[in-house]
Every structure is written in C-alpha cells, then in structure tokens.
Amino acid sequence: MTAGAQDPKTPVVAIDGPVGSGKGTIARRVATSLGWHLLDSGALYRLVALASVKRGVAETEEEDLAALASDLSVEFETDQSGDERIFLDGEDVTSDIRSEECGRVASAVASFSGVRAALLEIQRGFRKKPGLVADGRDMGSTVFPNAFLKVYLTASAEERAKRRHKQLKDKGIDVSLPALSRDIVDRDRRDSERTVAPLRPAADARLLDSSGQSIDEVTQTVLDWVAELEKGN
Ligand code: C5P
C-alpha cells in the first residue's frame, strides 16, 4: 500500500460526487494530464467489503469491520499496458471489487465511523509530490479539507444510470437498466443520509454538472480551474 507520512503542502484536487457522476474517469484524466498521483477511495471501501465477504464478517459488525479495515493488506500496481491492478492479500481482485454486489456491501460498511476512521490515514498517505487527485464522496469535506481545488461532480440520475450500465456492459457484466437505476437511487440515499461523512458538496466546492457534456469537456473544465488557481498562488 502507498501509505506513508503525508505532506500537507502537496496540492490535492478533490473530486467528489454520487455513483455514475464520472468522477473516477475524470479524476484519472486529470491526474494523467497533471502527472499527479491518483487515489480511488471507493476502491478502498470496496476492498473492505470484499475482504468481509471472504472472511465471513457480517456487514453489520462494526468492530470486526473496522479491525479488518485497519489491517487491510492491499497493493495498487500499474501493469505493462498502463492499467491499474488491485491486490488483496496477494490476490488480483481488480474486477471482483467492481461488481454491483461489492458496491452495495461497500456502501453498507462505509456507514460505520470505525471503518471510515481506519481508512482515513491510509487515504492521507496517498498525498505525495508533485500532487494528488483524489476521488470519492468525502475527499473535500473530510479527508483533505485543505484541498487546493474541490469539485463536486454530478449528473442527472437517468444519465448516471445509463453511464453505469454502459460501463458494466463493456466489462461483460449484464445488469438490467431499471434494476441499476433503483440501486443508484438506494445507494445515493444511503450515502447522503448516513450520519458520518454524508455525501454532500463541501462548503467551498465548485459544482460541475456533467449532464450532456463529454469526458473531454469536463476534464478540461477541471484543468482550467487548476490553472486558474495556480495562477492566483
Ligand atoms: O465510488 P465507488 O462506487 O467505488 O464507492 C463504493 C461505495 O463506497 C460508495 O457507494 C460509498 O458508500 C463508499 N464510499 C464512501 N466514501 C468514499 C468513497 C466511497 O463512503 N470516499
């Protein structure tokens, strides 16, 4: 795991938003363009979820889940074709953690403050020079409150369900669109209503609605904001 002492002066671009808002894709593009590190914080919650299923820990057992989260043995690697591979206890779980079921369990375990606290320092350990682009739900509000730029990315629920459907289909995962829409609405509700670190824009976040915009256009808007802030410093 890339954990370590974080450097509080290293700039962070925090990109938060709901399921299917495109934050993962945009964060990756922005990080590549700037030559900065990337943190996909959702992957960490998904890894806790997968580890809990593998070890038979019920999704209601906060203490056991928190212990599991603080003891996660994970590695992020980039393979020869430039794709990221994620390992849990030495096993390649890159595609396993992307299933809808893993997302659902991730959202359940993410509601426990013990789990969130255990993942906090791991996430902050990704803040390394020359900079970090972090995507998730609470990057700007909780994990990196002094982020250089905070973006809250969203899109209409309909568009998010369609994008997620296409993403899964491209990976060979067959899910019905209505079932996916219901799951997205449920997950949004649970993520927004939980008492710890609920999904909502940080007070100083810039809102970006990506409905009807291309990936390139949204990426460019974020890069323009970075350039504008860099000029002001
Ligand atoms: O972004 P992704 O869909 O991979 O995240 C899976 C789940 O993990 C989310 O539904 C959310 O409940 C949780 N999560 C979170 N805080 C984050 C990232 C993800 O609570 N920073």
Side-chain angles (χ1 to χ4, degrees):
M1 164 119 282
T2 332
Q6 65 154 333
D7 173 2
K9 287 200 207 89
T10 300
V12 174
V13 171
I15 304 183
D16 291 302
V19 186
S21 57
K23 59 191 181 328
T25 308
I26 302 302
R28 189 170 304 275
R29 295 280 190 109
V30 170
T32 304
S33 173
L34 295 172
W36 289 9
H37 300 280
L38 178 70
L39 165 63
D40 167 7
S41 63
L44 293 174
Y45 289 92
R46 286 171 180 269
L47 284 159
V48 175
L50 186 67
S52 72
V53 172
K54 281 186 186 288
R55 296 183 198 166
V57 176
E59 60 187 65
T60 45
E61 293 301 318
E62 177 165 7
E63 248 177 66
D64 292 350
L65 291 167
L68 201 149
S70 55
D71 203 25
L72 265 192
S73 163
V74 309
E75 273 166 71
F76 291 81
E77 280 176 16
T78 307
D79 69 15
Q80 282 168 338
S81 43
D83 292 328
E84 189 179 63
R85 312 291 326 165
I86 303 177
F87 295 84
L88 175 67
D89 294 326
E91 185 192 344
D92 187 342
V93 294
T94 315
S95 39
D96 298 359
I97 61 163
R98 297 298 163 198
S99 72
E100 284 309 286
E101 175 58 8
C102 201
R104 189 196 61 73
V105 180
S107 162
V109 305
S111 64
F112 293 124
S113 56
V115 171
R116 305 198 72 84
L119 293 184
L120 200 57
E121 287 313 307
I122 297 180
Q123 295 174 86
R124 290 181 173 158
F126 279 79
R127 186 175 201 166
K128 293 200 171 135
K129 282 187 172 57
L132 174 71
V133 180
D135 88 76
R137 304 292 190 288
D138 60 344
M139 298 298 97
S141 60
T142 309
V143 182
F144 302 109
N146 68 346
F148 165 75
L149 168 65
K150 299 178 186 178
V151 178
Y152 190 83
L153 192 62
T154 190
S156 67
E158 195 191 350
E159 184 149 343
R160 292 189 287 123
K162 279 194 195 141
R163 284 183 192 165
R164 191 82 188 112
H165 188 247
K166 183 175 178 308
Q167 242 176 24
L168 292 170
K169 224 170 145 195
D170 290 347
K171 286 185 191 149
I173 304 172
D174 196 21
V175 193
S176 85
L177 189 57
L180 202 55
S181 300
R182 274 197 304 277
D183 183 55
I184 282 181
V185 171
D186 283 353
R187 208 135 51 102
D188 279 356
R189 190 183 322 110
R190 182 152 44 175
D191 288 348
S192 319
E193 288 177 357
R194 70 179 172 220
T195 45
V196 257
L199 170 68
R200 67 178 58 123
D204 47 353
R206 297 188 184 202
L207 300 187
L208 180 46
D209 185 340
S210 67
S211 308
Q213 289 199 50
S214 70
I215 292 171
D216 283 348
E217 285 170 326
V218 179
T219 306
Q220 196 51 53
T221 301
V222 177
L223 289 172
D224 288 348
W225 284 344
V226 171
E228 175 197 313
L229 288 169
E230 274 175 341
K231 232 191 272 164
N233 274 341

